[in-house]
């Protein structure tokens, strides 16, 4: 009855430990008897092997001597030299009959059979002696249709060799039996030959009881140790010894195998062994059965599965051999199926991970692997080129996806045709990567020009279609640097971006620009941190009203004093904020700060309108616009949003809708930096703005240029005609201040009025201004208004 519980199996195993001592004694006696019997037979078998080999040598010497006598016979040699076939055949037949040789043959000097066996033996003998320059008789084994023959060959000399005299006897079962009768033991003898694959084979009637691989392993070991040992067969264990035999061609390995059944050797001791084994079986039979069952049904399959699982974990192929038909076998089959499935998936994943599926070209991952491997072998003569295909999206839209992918494949073929050692991969949908070893730094640019010149020609995409392809190249040469493969590829792509930005065909990677880009990335992270830590400060630049003769408003400007970098230019970090999307958080912080400061001013009796810059990128963000409206509804004073005209022109429908919403909620709109963009009077007419700000670039030239003065005057008149007040930025001198007043400008802003200042300095400034300058018509630039903060 099979045990189904592991606890039962373990209980049976532990129960067997009580009989272990008895088992060890019985086993020791059994092993001693077996060892003694085996050693005795092995010694006898080795002695018989020497006797058989000696008999073999005597037989070979006898045949060899008679063959040599015939080869030295003057008449025979003369007949052979004159091609007297009849005489040669007669002499040969007489000798063969006297020797009772089964097969014989006379070979000519060219190895062709002249007289004798024209069949398999003759051909085998000719094959063995072909190319043999020996001048003395020889003997050895020759294989004829897979059967071993004992053959002797003697050269016929006159004085040069005229041919060979060859005799042979088939070593079949009867011949082996004759040799076996010479031994006192009932041994079995067989002659085996080694195949090209290293296996030992012989006649089927002599080797049918052996497994070829097991027998071959035994013979190889026996030839090394020169001693008898055990070998398994279908009739049980045998004691055997292998003795090497010479080969006629000197190459074919042959052995004489002598075997003796172990059962015969143990026959004398059978009664004693039976008693010993009976004692062991009676005491430990049940335990042995249980242990065997446990090891075969549970332990071994589990260990095999464990080893296979660890092998599979390491990424190597693993299979478990199924030897039973129980639940463990089902588990092994399931594991094998899983392993095969994992291998198939990994193979597909690896192929997909390293290949561009649309073109079957290597992708960026494969390109990175290749560059990395090449980088390890190369010194400083290595170049990576990123090749951008211009108008690729247009080509794909016009000619189709298939045509576009075919174009990429054709470009790869052209590039590899130019440079046989180049490795080309597809880095993105419109970018190819090329790397080449053995390219010096001074050769990188000429190499790129050669690529550009070739790709500038028409490319034959299909049999009936050619296309002019525009390409842009980014070049990176490794030089003395030690970048990683990914860094090398990225730098070539950065050079490609630099080329496209500069609208040029080729750009070699510029480390300085790369450093600036890297610094911008670092600054981006620091900007996020600064917004989280509220390091940004809001400064206010007062704005002077000509009509009221006082400071009635101020523009909020954000400033960033970095703890390590110091002052960071607003133009730089605001641009980064717009590109990364954190302009939302920045604008929100500024807006909340301004509303808070405006209330603090009002609490001190100061009414001040505040203008806040509102990025054009935010106009299309309806959620943020709604948040802005909700905050501005809480303002205690007038809020003005300064928006550049280009922000509206880029997307007029969304921009105008957002502005109209702001105006409907009482928020004033100012068109900032007027004149610096592509201004459109049509859009300007549609924008419900309250204020137009003339850019400082026009105001700073107003004193010395009639054209700038004319443009400023006409802009003021146009804005008044559209119902907008005008603010002039960059007012720094009294002359500019006076000219703007004469032109009818409404508000002046600039260093001539005051520099941007923190809130703590703004209140004293406003109070000082109010004491010294009462509102008057026709105000002049106050001489006491020096820059503050």
């Amino acid at each position: 009855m099979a045990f189904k519980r592991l606890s039962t199996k373990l209980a049976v195993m532990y129960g067997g430990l009580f009989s272990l001592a008895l088992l060890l004694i019985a086993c020791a006696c059994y092993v001693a008897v077996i060892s003694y019997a085996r050693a005795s037979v092995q010694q006898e078998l080795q002695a018989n092997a020497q006797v058989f080999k000696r008999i073999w040598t005597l037989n070979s010497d006898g045949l060899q001597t008679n063959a040599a006598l015939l080869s030295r016979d003057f008449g025979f040699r003369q007949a052979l030299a004159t091609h007297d076939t009849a005489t040669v055949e007669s002499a040969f037949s007489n000798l063969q009959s006297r020797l009772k040789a089964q097969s014989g043959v006379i070979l000519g000097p060219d190895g062709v059979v002249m007289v004798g066996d024209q069949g398999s033996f003759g051909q085998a003998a000719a094959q063995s002696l072909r190319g043999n320059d020996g001048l003395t008789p020889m003997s050895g084994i020759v294989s004829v249709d897979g059967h071993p023959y004992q053959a002797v060959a003697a050269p016929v000399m006159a004085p040069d060799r005229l041919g060979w005299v060859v005799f042979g006897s088939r070593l079949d079962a009867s011949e082996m039996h004759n040799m076996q009768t010479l031994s006192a033991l009932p041994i079995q003898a067989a002659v085996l030959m080694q195949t090209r694959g290293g296996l030992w084979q012989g006649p089927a009637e002599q080797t049918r009881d052996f497994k070829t691989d097991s027998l071959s392993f035994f013979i190889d070991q026996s030839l090394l140790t020169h001693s008898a040992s055990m070998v398994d067969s279908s009739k049980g264990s045998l004691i055997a010894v292998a003795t090497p035999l010479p080969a006629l061609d000197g190459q074919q390995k042959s052995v004489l195998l002598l075997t003796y059944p172990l059962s015969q050797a143990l026959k004398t001791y059978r009664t004693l062994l039976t008693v010993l084994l009976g004692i062991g079986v009676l005491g430990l039979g049940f335990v042995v059965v249980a242990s065997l069952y446990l090891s075969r049904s549970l332990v071994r399959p589990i260990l095999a599965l464990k080893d296979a699982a660890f092998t599979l974990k390491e990424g190597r192929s693993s299979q478990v051999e199924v030897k039973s038909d129980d639940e463990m076998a089902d588990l092994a089959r399931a594991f094998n199926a899983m392993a095969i499935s994992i291998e198939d998936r990994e193979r597909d994943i690896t192929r997909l991970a390293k290949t561009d599926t649309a073109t079957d070209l290597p992708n960026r991952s494969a390109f990175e692997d290749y560059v990395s491997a090449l980088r390890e072998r190369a010194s400083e003569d290595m170049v990576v080129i990123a090749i951008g295909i211009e108008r690729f999206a247009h080509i794909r839209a016009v000619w189709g996806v298939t045509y576009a992918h075919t174009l990429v494949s054709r470009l790869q073929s052209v590039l590899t045709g130019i440079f046989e050692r180049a490795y080309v991969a597809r880095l993105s949908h419109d970018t190819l990567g090329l790397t080449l070893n053995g390219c010096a730094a001074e050769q990188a640019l000429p190499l790129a020009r050669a690529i550009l010149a070739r790709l500038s020609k028409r490319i034959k995409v299909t049999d009936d279609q050619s296309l002019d392809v525009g390409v842009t190249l980014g070049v990176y040469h490794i030089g003395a640097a030690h970048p990683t493969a990914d860094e090398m590829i990225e730098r070539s792509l950065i050079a490609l971006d630099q080329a496209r930005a500069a609208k040029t065909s080729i750009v070699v990677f510029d480390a300085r620009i790369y450093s600036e880009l890297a610094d911008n990335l670092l600054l981006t992270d620091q900007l996020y941190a600064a917004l989280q830590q509220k390091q940004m400060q809001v400064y206010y630049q007062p704005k002077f009203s000509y009509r009221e003769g006082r400071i009635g408003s101020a523009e909020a400007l954000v400033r960033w004093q970095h703890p390590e970098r110091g002052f960071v230019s607003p133009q730089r970090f605001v641009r980064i904020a717009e590109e990364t999307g954190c302009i939302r958080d920045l604008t929100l912080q500024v807006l909340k700060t301004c509303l808070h400061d405006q209330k603090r001013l009002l609490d001190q009796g100061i009414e001040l309108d505040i203008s806040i810059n509102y990025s054009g990128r935010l106009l299309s963000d309806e959620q943020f616009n709604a948040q802005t409206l909700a905050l501005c509804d809480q303002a205690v004073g007038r809020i003005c949003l300064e928006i550049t005209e280009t922000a509206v022109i880029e997307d007029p429908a969304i921009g105008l809708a957002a502005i109209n919403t702001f105006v409907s909620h009482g928020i004033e709109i100012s068109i900032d930096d007027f004149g610096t963009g592509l201004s459109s009077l049509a859009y300007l007419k549609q924008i419900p703005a309250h204020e137009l700000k003339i850019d400082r670039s026009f105001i700073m030239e107003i004193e010395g240029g009639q054209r700038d003065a004319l443009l400023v005057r006409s802009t003021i008149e146009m804005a008044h005609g559209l119902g907008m007040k005008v603010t002039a930025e960059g007012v720094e001198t009294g002359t500019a201040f006076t000219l703007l007043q004469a032109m009818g400008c409404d508000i002046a802003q600039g260093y001539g009025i005051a520099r941007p200042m923190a809130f703590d300095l703004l209140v004293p400034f406003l109070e000082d201004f109010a004491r010294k300058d009462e509102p008057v018509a026709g105000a002049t630039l106050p001489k006491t208004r020096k820059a503050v903060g």
Side-chain angles (χ1 to χ4, degrees):
M1 177 179 176
F3 298 102
K4 296 182 179 180
R5 295 177 60 85
L6 180 61
S7 59
T8 304
K9 296 178 181 179
L10 292 176
V12 172
M13 183 183 67
Y14 289 138
L17 293 176
F18 293 101
S19 303
L20 182 59
L22 181 61
L23 177 62
L24 291 175
I25 294 173
C27 288
C29 294
Y30 179 81
V31 170
V33 172
I34 295 292
S35 299
Y36 178 81
R38 184 186 300 172
S40 299
V41 175
Q42 286 177 343
Q43 292 176 0
E44 183 67 21
L45 203 59
Q46 286 180 248
N48 279 279
Q50 297 300 322
V51 172
F52 281 177
K53 188 171 183 182
R54 180 59 180 165
I55 295 172
W56 173 278
T57 303
L58 291 175
N59 290 339
S60 296
D61 291 344
L63 289 172
Q64 192 171 333
T65 300
N66 285 280
L69 289 174
L70 177 61
S71 66
R72 292 196 294 269
D73 184 79
F74 179 79
F76 177 79
R77 287 185 294 175
Q78 185 176 12
L80 185 61
T82 58
H83 300 283
D84 185 354
T85 306
T87 302
V88 172
E89 185 173 2
S90 175
F92 177 76
S93 298
N94 290 334
L95 181 60
Q96 184 176 1
S97 61
R98 288 199 309 271
L99 296 177
K100 297 181 180 181
Q102 293 179 350
S103 301
V105 67
I106 301 295
L107 301 177
D110 53 356
V112 176
V113 178
M114 297 180 60
V115 173
D117 191 340
Q118 299 286 336
S120 299
F121 177 80
Q123 298 302 320
Q127 179 67 27
S128 298
L129 295 173
R130 185 172 292 119
N132 192 316
D133 297 327
L135 303 178
T136 59
M138 59 184 66
S139 64
I141 298 298
V142 62
S143 176
V144 180
D145 295 335
H147 293 279
Y149 276 68
Q150 181 182 10
V152 295
V156 182
M157 309 298 295
D160 296 328
R161 191 178 65 203
L162 300 178
W164 293 90
V165 177
V166 184
F167 291 108
S169 297
R170 179 172 174 173
L171 300 175
D172 52 14
S174 61
E175 185 67 19
M176 292 293 101
H177 180 71
N178 293 334
M179 296 182 66
Q180 294 165 12
T181 57
L182 299 176
S183 173
L185 296 176
I187 62 174
Q188 298 291 326
V191 176
L192 288 82
M193 294 169 292
Q194 191 176 41
T195 64
R196 292 184 178 179
L199 297 177
W200 292 90
Q201 294 181 347
E205 64 271 19
Q206 300 176 25
T207 60
R208 66 168 63 94
D209 296 332
F210 299 96
K211 290 184 179 179
T212 303
D213 53 348
S214 299
L215 182 60
S216 297
F217 177 80
F218 164 77
I219 292 175
D220 290 337
Q221 295 299 315
S222 182
L223 292 176
L224 290 175
T225 60
H226 303 289
S227 62
S229 58
M230 299 295 295
V231 62
D232 293 330
S233 71
S234 60
K235 295 182 178 180
S237 298
L238 303 175
I239 301 176
V241 64
T243 303
L245 296 176
L248 187 61
D249 60 0
Q251 297 180 353
Q252 176 72 53
K253 294 182 178 181
S254 304
V255 295
L256 174 64
L257 178 67
L258 301 180
T259 59
Y260 183 73
L262 180 62
S263 59
Q264 289 293 112
L266 299 177
K267 191 173 183 180
T268 306
Y269 306 94
R270 186 169 298 169
T271 302
L272 177 59
L273 291 175
T274 302
V275 173
L276 292 175
L277 290 176
I279 295 173
V281 169
L282 291 176
L284 302 175
F286 186 77
V287 176
V288 169
V289 172
S291 299
L292 290 175
Y293 179 83
L294 181 65
S295 62
R296 293 180 180 178
S297 63
L298 183 61
V299 177
R300 290 181 182 177
I302 290 176
L303 291 177
L305 282 170
K306 183 199 71 172
D307 294 339
F310 277 108
T311 302
L312 190 64
K313 176 185 176 183
E314 295 172 356
R316 295 183 284 115
S317 177
S318 178
Q319 295 287 313
V320 179
E321 184 178 359
V322 179
K323 295 183 178 180
S324 60
D325 195 21
D326 54 9
E327 290 80 4
M328 292 301 299
D330 294 338
L331 179 60
R333 294 188 188 97
F335 178 86
N336 292 341
M338 179 190 69
I340 293 173
S341 177
I342 291 175
E343 291 174 11
D344 293 340
R345 284 198 298 270
E346 284 186 350
R347 184 165 49 252
D348 292 340
I349 291 172
T350 300
R351 181 182 62 82
L352 292 174
K354 302 297 181 183
T355 306
D356 176 61
T357 55
T359 59
D360 282 335
L361 295 179
N363 62 8
R364 172 161 179 167
S365 178
F367 189 66
E368 184 175 337
D369 292 342
Y370 183 86
V371 171
S372 179
L374 192 62
R375 174 69 184 86
E376 294 178 359
R377 300 193 304 267
S379 55
E380 299 179 2
D381 295 335
M382 180 178 173
V383 65
V384 176
I385 301 177
I387 304 171
I389 306 172
E390 304 303 323
R391 303 183 299 109
F392 183 80
H394 177 72
I395 294 172
R396 182 173 56 188
V398 173
W399 297 100
V401 175
T402 302
Y403 183 90
H405 292 324
T406 304
L407 170 62
V408 174
S409 298
R410 286 292 304 129
L411 290 175
Q412 188 265 354
S413 300
V414 171
L415 291 170
T416 53
I418 301 174
F419 310 103
E420 294 181 356
R421 294 182 294 106
Y423 184 84
V424 181
R426 191 177 190 182
L427 303 184
S428 65
H429 69 285
D430 64 346
T431 306
L432 292 175
L434 179 147
T435 184
L436 190 64
N437 190 19
C439 177
E442 60 273 11
Q443 297 174 330
L445 189 57
L447 174 67
R449 289 171 178 164
I451 294 174
L452 180 65
R454 176 60 185 87
L455 297 185
S456 297
K457 300 178 181 178
R458 291 185 69 83
I459 302 298
K460 186 175 182 181
V461 182
T462 61
D463 293 338
D464 56 352
Q465 180 68 45
S466 298
L467 186 68
D468 287 325
V469 182
V471 296
T472 303
L473 278 65
V475 183
Y476 175 72
H477 189 274
I478 189 171
H482 298 281
T484 63
D486 181 65
E487 290 173 341
M488 294 174 66
I489 297 171
E490 282 299 324
R491 291 176 185 182
S492 68
L493 291 173
I494 290 172
L496 175 61
D497 292 339
Q498 293 172 356
R500 284 172 167 168
K503 300 186 183 302
T504 185
S505 298
I506 302 174
V507 165
V508 179
F509 175 78
D510 189 335
R512 179 182 55 81
I513 298 179
Y514 176 73
S515 298
E516 293 178 358
L517 293 174
D519 186 63
N520 283 341
L521 290 176
L522 178 60
L523 188 63
T524 300
D525 293 337
Q526 295 174 343
L527 177 60
Y528 276 105
L531 289 172
Q532 294 294 326
Q533 300 170 10
K534 300 188 182 304
Q535 294 179 359
M536 298 298 181
Q537 294 179 303
V538 176
Y539 277 47
Y540 298 92
Q541 186 172 29
K543 299 164 65 174
F544 179 81
S545 173
Y546 285 108
R547 298 181 184 278
E548 298 177 358
R550 69 182 184 87
I551 302 295
S553 58
E555 179 181 0
L557 301 171
V558 64
R559 294 293 183 263
W560 182 14
Q561 190 69 24
H562 193 276
E564 297 176 358
R565 296 174 180 264
F567 178 75
V568 182
S569 169
Q571 288 81 3
R572 186 180 183 189
F573 72 78
V574 170
R575 175 176 55 82
I576 293 176
E578 290 182 330
E579 292 175 353
T580 58
C582 63
I583 189 66
R584 292 167 50 94
D585 295 335
L586 179 60
T587 303
L588 193 61
Q589 285 191 19
V590 172
L591 183 58
K592 290 181 178 180
T593 301
C594 291
L595 295 176
H596 178 70
D597 291 345
Q598 190 180 50
K599 186 176 184 306
R600 292 168 62 189
L601 289 172
L602 184 61
D603 292 342
Q604 299 181 47
I606 301 175
E607 295 185 5
L608 187 70
D609 299 341
I610 298 180
S611 298
I612 302 172
N613 288 287
Y614 202 79
S615 173
R617 295 178 182 267
L618 299 175
L619 285 178
S620 58
D621 191 337
E622 296 181 359
Q623 183 179 1
F624 188 79
N625 290 338
Q627 190 174 9
T628 301
L629 288 174
L631 289 172
C632 291
D633 287 342
Q634 304 172 15
V636 297
R638 186 176 293 122
I639 296 296
C640 178
L641 299 181
E642 296 188 5
I643 303 172
T644 59
E645 53 178 327
T646 54
V648 181
I649 294 174
E650 288 175 359
D651 198 338
I654 296 178
L656 290 173
I659 290 174
N660 285 323
T661 303
F662 288 142
V663 172
S664 65
H665 283 72
I667 300 174
E668 293 191 355
I669 300 298
S670 174
I671 300 177
D672 196 13
D673 298 333
F674 182 79
T676 59
L678 300 175
S679 305
S680 171
L681 295 179
Y683 288 129
L684 190 63
K685 180 181 68 174
Q686 298 178 48
I687 299 175
H690 303 82
E691 180 185 64
L692 186 147
K693 298 186 72 175
I694 302 176
D695 188 71
R696 61 185 292 113
S697 60
F698 294 96
I699 302 304
M700 296 183 71
E701 300 293 335
I702 195 174
E703 299 179 31
Q706 292 295 325
R707 294 175 61 88
D708 288 320
L710 180 61
L711 288 173
V712 171
R713 182 185 296 276
S714 61
T715 300
I716 293 173
E717 293 175 355
M718 178 190 66
H720 287 166
L722 294 174
M724 291 183 285
K725 56 187 176 182
V726 179
T727 296
E729 295 182 299
V731 178
E732 297 185 358
T733 64
T735 302
F737 182 86
T738 303
L739 287 174
L740 288 169
Q741 182 182 18
M743 293 178 182
C745 183
D746 300 291
I747 300 172
Q749 177 182 352
Y751 285 2
I753 306 301
R755 287 177 177 270
M757 61 189 72
F759 180 82
D760 294 340
L761 299 177
L762 178 63
V763 174
F765 174 83
L766 294 176
E767 292 176 346
D768 180 63
F769 198 98
R771 285 194 303 270
K772 295 184 179 181
D773 297 271
E774 296 298 331
V776 294
T780 59
L781 181 65
K783 295 181 180 180
T784 58
R785 300 298 172 259
K786 296 183 180 180
V788 181

